[in-house]
Amino acid sequence: MSAWLSSAQGQNGAGRDQPPSRPPGFAEAPLRLDEATLPRAEDLGYELRPPRPDAPPAPATPFQGTGPQGHRGRMREKLLERGPDALADYELLEMLLFFAFKQGDTKPLAKALINRFGSFAAVLAAPQQVLMETRGLGPHSVAALKLVQAAALRLAKAEVMEAPVLNNWDRLITYLNAAISREKIEQFRILFLDSKNRLIADEAQAKGTVNHTPVYPREVMKRALELHATALILVHNHPSGDPTPSRADIEMTAEIRQAGQFFAVVVHDHLIVGNGRYLSFRREGLL
């Protein structure tokens, strides 16, 4: 070993203060510490004691509550202490996205979604494929949005079913607005009622294009008889938002009403739902 050191010193022309060059074939290995092999304080003879009562407190981490976790905690407190009415629409959406994004700030995404679709309700009602193609969203966030939409619709439907539909008109309109007013294509639905005008079923009979839905009176009556329904409320949406009935809407309603007379099935009304607006055939004298 000493001979090698002397040789190295001679080659480098340096004294002992100069580090020796590495022999050929040797590579510098990184220093690695294995926690399992490190000695514990107790093994070295040190005694671990709790801090003295008079010891000064440890310095606090600066700006503890400014990160996403602190913000999320404050949002939850705001919701629980002040109620959902204290939250803006983008804040509701922001909190909803917490379930999909375990970390990070979801406020910019929530605001971007409302700006794109127009409102909190429109974000929830947007087609699944459109949401999947939206920047910032993915399977987890889209599933969260659609789950909330489904829960809201079931709650609204349950409230409609608790009492006779004709005596619960405001809740019925609220439910229909949530269910189909923001659909991008026409959808024809039928509310099947029993002899006490309670809701038996709400079914989509047909889907069409942006301005037309084919409906067949024979199929409507067939389904009414299968459900033992004695009355109907016809419903369809106008994607344009204008609930004014077309000539085809009026003629189709008359055909279904005429078919119902043969089977003792009453058509109570035909509702056309737009974006936050609706028209009743009965109130307009069209039925």
Side-chain angles (χ1 to χ4, degrees), residues 43-57:
D43 298 333
L44 298 177
Y46 293 100
E47 181 181 357
L48 299 178
R49 298 179 180 178
R52 301 194 315 270
D54 58 344

Side-chain angles (χ1 to χ4, degrees), residues 121 125 149 152-153 156 172-183 273:
Q149 182 196 23
L153 289 177
L172 174 63
I173 298 302
T174 298
Y175 165 63
L176 293 176
N177 269 321
I180 63 172
S181 67
R182 294 176 178 85
E183 289 284 334
V273 181

